Structures are given as structure tokens and as C-alpha cells.
Amino acid sequence: MTNSSAGEPARQESAGPLLYRWLRENDSRSPAEAAPALGLDPREAASAWAELRALRLVRPGSAIGETDVVEPETALLGLLGTLRQKRAVLSSHCQELTSIVSATESLLERYRPAAARLTERVEVEVVTGLRNQQRVLRDFADLPRAQSRTLHADTVPSRTMSQSLGSFLTEKGRMVRRGVTVRAIYPQGFNSARWQCKYLAEVRRVGVELRLAPQVPCSLVIGDLDVALLPPRPDQPEDPLIVIRGAALVRTYAALYDDHWLRAFPYAGPAEVAGGPEGDWLTEQHRTSLRLLANGLTDERIARSMGVSVRTVSRLVSEVTRNLGAHSRFQAGVLARARGLV
């Protein structure tokens, strides 16, 4: 809508002020009368009414369908009051938001770590194929670590195992030279042949802390508390190699190993004397049979513990009884303990 005077160009005026002025001048309370009187189309009328309501220059009248006109000063004071209220609410919300952010940071940085339980990732890998398994064992030997612990479940190994035993000897010797503490537990039956006793002596010579145990339940390799390896049994070479990573589980295998280590006894070597010149004739097999004999085991149980035949045990018992000058098995055990031979 335009208004113009003589000698002046036409000036475009907003429909809002026109509508507001018309309502004041005509004291009209009916919105329906304003649009036709001002020549406003429906879109212009709707926009003008929306502007007046937003500025609070109109408000619902006392009767349905009527509208009251509000003075600009009154509308301004009302908006300022609302602004103060909204600002106060917004300030309160900002303070609350700041408090929530601060509390969140405190929970994440201070309290959550203090109350968090130990959560460690445990990984189990199944390695198949001889070459892959050998690669894993070589990597184990080459990685930096402080301690290596091994259990060997081979009761009476055959000479066909010489290659793997040689690899073990080379790897463990290299680890010892790097400052790694290396411990190994073999079953008592491992020293049933001369070449096996020689091999154990060589393992001890390279610096491995070596012990023998009556029973070894499985083969096991532990590196610190980070990784545990479960190699396949010698009689089941097609079985996979199990690799376990994660201290939460490896600690259990370490506890199993430590228990066997405490129950085992140090390997003295076939050439060493347990009790001075009097024990020159003793071999490792003699000492093992003497120890078990002193504990009251029968020949059959000694044979199972050592992984040898009952005939071999009978020969060993006969030899130690004769050399000790004993008249019975029991007396041989007692004399062996008294002389410090076991």
C-alpha cells in the first residue's frame, strides 16, 4: 500500500503500522473490519497482524473475536520485563550447564579412575602349521622381556626330538645372554637316558635355572605376565599352538607354573656328587629313585614318576641298596637321607 502527496514520490509503508494506526483511529475491536478498510490482501493482513502480536501492540479483547490496542510504551515495558525474566532463566541455565560440565569432567578425570576395576583385554590365538608355530616360538625368544618360564611335558622323549631340543637350547641361551631370567621344568623321566642327562646338563650350562618334577601336566611357555604359549603335545603334533595374551589370564598360568617350581627339585647333573666322595657312584637316576624311595613309594609308582620301566627301577634300587650297605629298601632310604645324598 502506498501514500503520496503532491510533488513527492510514492513511499512504500509497512502494513503493520498502517493497521495499528487504523485500529487506534477507528477504535475498532474487530480484526475482520481492518483488512477491507485498508485494502490489504489476505497475505498482507496476516503479516501485519503477526507483527503487531509479536510487538505486543494488540491483545485479545474482553469478548470473543475482539482485539484491544496496546500503547507502545506499555508494550515496550512488557517486552523489557520478559527480557529480564528470560535473561535470568538463561543465566540460571548457563550456570546449571557449567555445573554439569564441571561434574562430568570431575567424574571422568578423578572419580572414575579411582573406582574403575581392572579391565584387561584378553586375546586367544590358534596357530596351526609347523612353520607358523616355529615362527611364534622364535618371536617369543626375540622379544624383549624380563623372565621366561617353561614346562616340558615330555615324559620320555625320543631322539627324533633332538632338533626341537637344540632350538630350545639355542633360543634360551640367547635370552640368558640378553639378561633374561630363564627357568625350565622337566619331568623326572626326562633323564632316563645318557643323552638326555647330557642335554639337561647343557641346558643348565647356558644359564637356565633347571628343575625336575615328578609330574608335569602340560607343556607351557610364559613370558613375563604378557603372554602364555600352549604348544601341542609331542604325540599330537597336528594340534594347534595356543597363544594367550593378557595379564588377567596369563597370571593364572604363572601361578600354576610357580606351584610346580616350588614342588620340583634342582637338577644337580649326572657328574656331580650329592654327598662328597661317598656319592661318587650316584647318577641323577639314582638320586631320583632314592628320593622317591625315601618317601615310601613302590617300584611301580617310582617307575611311573620317572617314566621308566619297573625293571629299571628294580635295578636302580638294588644298586643304591648295595652301595649304601643297606639290608632293605627302607634302610636304604633312611641312610640316603642321613648321609645327605637326597
Side-chain angles (χ1 to χ4, degrees):
M1 173 169 293
T2 60
N3 290 325
S4 62
S5 59
E8 293 182 0
R11 178 171 56 85
Q12 186 74 28
E13 187 174 7
S14 170
L18 290 175
L19 177 59
Y20 180 72
R21 188 164 49 248
W22 187 90
L23 292 173
R24 288 178 61 86
E25 293 173 352
N26 293 277
D27 194 22
S28 175
R29 295 173 178 268
S30 175
E33 298 175 356
L38 293 171
L40 300 176
D41 61 36
R43 187 181 60 179
E44 291 176 324
S47 176
W49 281 109
E51 182 178 335
L52 296 182
R53 284 193 294 268
L55 296 175
R56 300 190 180 184
L57 290 171
V58 293
R59 62 190 175 197
S62 56
I64 297 176
E66 291 185 351
T67 299
D68 289 340
V69 177
V70 179
E71 293 296 325
E73 291 78 5
T74 303
L76 179 59
L77 292 174
L79 285 174
L80 291 175
T82 301
L83 178 62
R84 285 193 295 270
Q85 293 175 0
K86 296 296 184 182
R87 182 175 294 172
V89 172
L90 181 60
S91 177
S92 176
H93 286 172
C94 287
Q95 292 177 2
E96 184 179 1
L97 180 60
T98 302
S99 176
I100 292 174
V101 171
S102 177
T104 302
E105 292 176 349
S106 181
L107 286 173
L108 287 174
E109 298 175 3
R110 297 172 57 205
Y111 287 90
R112 187 168 179 265
R117 295 181 179 179
L118 180 63
T119 57
E120 298 173 346
R121 185 176 181 181
V122 174
E123 297 180 355
V124 178
E125 180 183 2
V126 178
V127 182
T128 58
L130 179 60
R131 288 188 177 181
N132 292 331
Q133 294 175 1
Q134 291 174 343
R135 172 183 53 78
V136 171
L137 291 172
R138 285 195 302 270
D139 291 344
F140 175 89
D142 292 336
L143 288 174
R145 64 183 75 257
Q147 190 177 60
S148 171
R149 291 170 281 185
T150 59
L151 275 176
H152 299 269
D154 319 317
T155 305
V156 186
S158 64
R159 290 182 180 272
T160 58
M161 294 178 58
S162 59
Q163 183 177 358
S164 61
L165 293 175
S167 298
F168 173 86
L169 187 62
T170 301
E171 293 170 356
K172 299 309 178 185
R174 190 167 66 248
M175 295 176 73
V176 170
R177 288 192 295 273
R178 294 204 315 266
V180 181
T181 299
V182 182
R183 290 180 174 180
I185 301 176
Y186 282 85
Q188 289 175 346
F190 196 96
N191 64 340
S192 59
R194 184 180 299 274
W195 74 270
Q196 293 165 350
C197 294
K198 182 178 179 180
Y199 172 78
L200 292 178
E202 187 65 18
V203 169
R204 191 183 58 173
R205 186 190 67 79
V206 300
V208 176
E209 298 179 23
L210 183 61
R211 290 192 177 187
L212 300 181
Q215 298 293 333
V216 177
C218 63
S219 294
L220 174 64
V221 183
I222 303 175
D224 296 336
L225 290 178
D226 300 322
V227 61
L229 310 179
L230 297 174
R233 294 182 59 85
D235 56 346
Q236 300 290 335
E238 68 280 0
D239 287 353
L241 167 70
I242 308 299
V243 182
I244 301 171
R245 298 182 178 89
L249 186 54
V250 175
R251 275 194 296 267
T252 301
Y253 288 98
L256 173 68
Y257 185 92
D258 291 342
D259 180 70
H260 280 79
W261 181 261
L262 293 175
R263 295 172 183 270
F265 54 89
Y267 177 72
E272 292 191 5
V273 178
E278 186 179 8
D280 284 346
W281 54 273
L282 284 174
T283 65
E284 181 64 26
Q285 280 190 320
H286 286 126
R287 281 193 293 273
T288 301
S289 60
L290 268 174
R291 184 178 293 105
L292 299 176
L293 186 65
N295 289 331
L297 271 66
T298 63
D299 288 358
E300 290 77 10
R301 291 189 61 185
I302 294 175
R304 287 198 299 270
S305 297
M306 296 180 61
V308 297
S309 66
V310 176
R311 177 177 296 181
T312 299
V313 173
S314 298
R315 175 180 59 80
L316 292 171
V317 171
S318 176
E319 290 175 355
V320 297
T321 302
R322 182 177 65 255
N323 281 279
L324 289 173
H327 300 290
S328 66
R329 294 162 50 92
F330 177 77
Q331 186 182 17
V334 173
L335 290 175
R337 286 190 180 277
R339 298 176 186 179
L341 300 179
V342 294

